[in-house]
Amino acid sequence: MEILLILGIMAGGGWWLCKRFYHVIQSAHRQNQWQRQNDAVSMGRQQQQQRQMYERRRRQQVLNQKYRALQVALLQLQQAPDFLRAASRAEAASEVPLALRQRQYRRFRPKLIRHFVRRLRMGTDTQVLLDSLTTLVEALGVAGFEASYIEQAASRQLQNRTRRPVENFSATLERVQREHADRKAALNQANLEPDTKQQLQEAQDQQLVESLMEMTLSNRGEET
């Protein structure tokens, strides 16, 4: 009888141990499964964050390239017969923050006036210049009527130049060469990317050539 009792106790204990062991295994399995799912979710989030960071960096690089292209086009205005090239770059950079585009307008407004004056002296039609300039200033995030103000300022400068005494050709040549040398020296000291610096230096050389051609044509006109 005692043996049967002992066997019953052992059997019951064995059953309890088996049941307990089964629950432990099940709990460990669920824990492992939860951990794998959690790891998968974490990895998915990390991959998504990495993709988002990559897209942001790529988008920022594209915007930076468009912004630099806009700056170069504005710096090289003297190479264009109007403002269409710069306007095209400005429209392509429409996703660049508005404040940055408006800053470029304020920075280059004097240059826009000088280019308007230069093209008027070269015989370009006023309306052609005004239309392309309007497109440019609007793409820079500025009201279109600012183009009319620039046209008026350019016309006043042109009238004032025709009224004042003509500068001696030799003195003008010396001044233009000196200003060109100063600008080239400033570019050499500027902290710019090599390609951008080379483009700007070439633009300065082209500007010097155009200035000399304009001086020569003006001098011939005065002699005749």
Side-chain angles (χ1 to χ4, degrees), residues 69-70 72-92 104-105 108-121 124-140 144 146-155:
L70 169 61
V72 171
L74 291 171
L75 288 167
Q76 296 179 346
L77 266 177
Q78 67 278 359
Q79 299 182 12
D82 47 35
F83 299 93
L84 282 177
R85 182 181 302 164
S88 175
R89 297 293 187 272
E91 289 177 335
Q104 294 306 309
Y105 170 76
F108 284 97
R109 188 178 187 277
K111 189 178 183 69
L112 298 178
I113 296 175
R114 291 195 300 270
H115 187 56
F116 209 113
V117 172
R118 184 184 303 111
R119 296 317 306 176
L120 286 177
R121 296 183 66 184
T124 306
D125 182 71
T126 303
Q127 192 60 46
V128 171
L129 294 173
L130 184 59
D131 290 343
S132 58
L133 179 59
T134 301
T135 303
L136 171 59
V137 298
E138 289 179 347
L140 291 175
E146 291 291 338
S148 298
Y149 294 158
I150 291 176
E151 185 269 334
Q152 294 170 16
S155 298

Side-chain angles (χ1 to χ4, degrees), residues 135-197:
T135 303
L136 171 59
V137 298
E138 289 179 347
L140 291 175
V142 181
F145 58 76
E146 291 291 338
S148 298
Y149 294 158
I150 291 176
E151 185 269 334
Q152 294 170 16
S155 298
R156 287 194 299 269
Q157 286 192 17
L158 189 60
Q159 292 174 0
N160 292 335
R161 288 184 181 182
T162 56
R163 291 174 183 172
R164 67 187 181 187
V166 179
E167 186 178 23
N168 179 271
F169 182 82
S170 299
T172 303
L173 178 60
E174 182 180 354
R175 175 178 57 80
V176 170
Q177 290 176 334
R178 183 175 62 254
E179 292 175 351
H180 174 72
D182 292 341
R183 287 192 294 267
K184 290 293 289 288
L187 280 176
N188 289 331
Q189 296 176 0
N191 185 17
L192 298 172
E193 295 182 357
D195 292 342
T196 302
K197 181 178 291 188

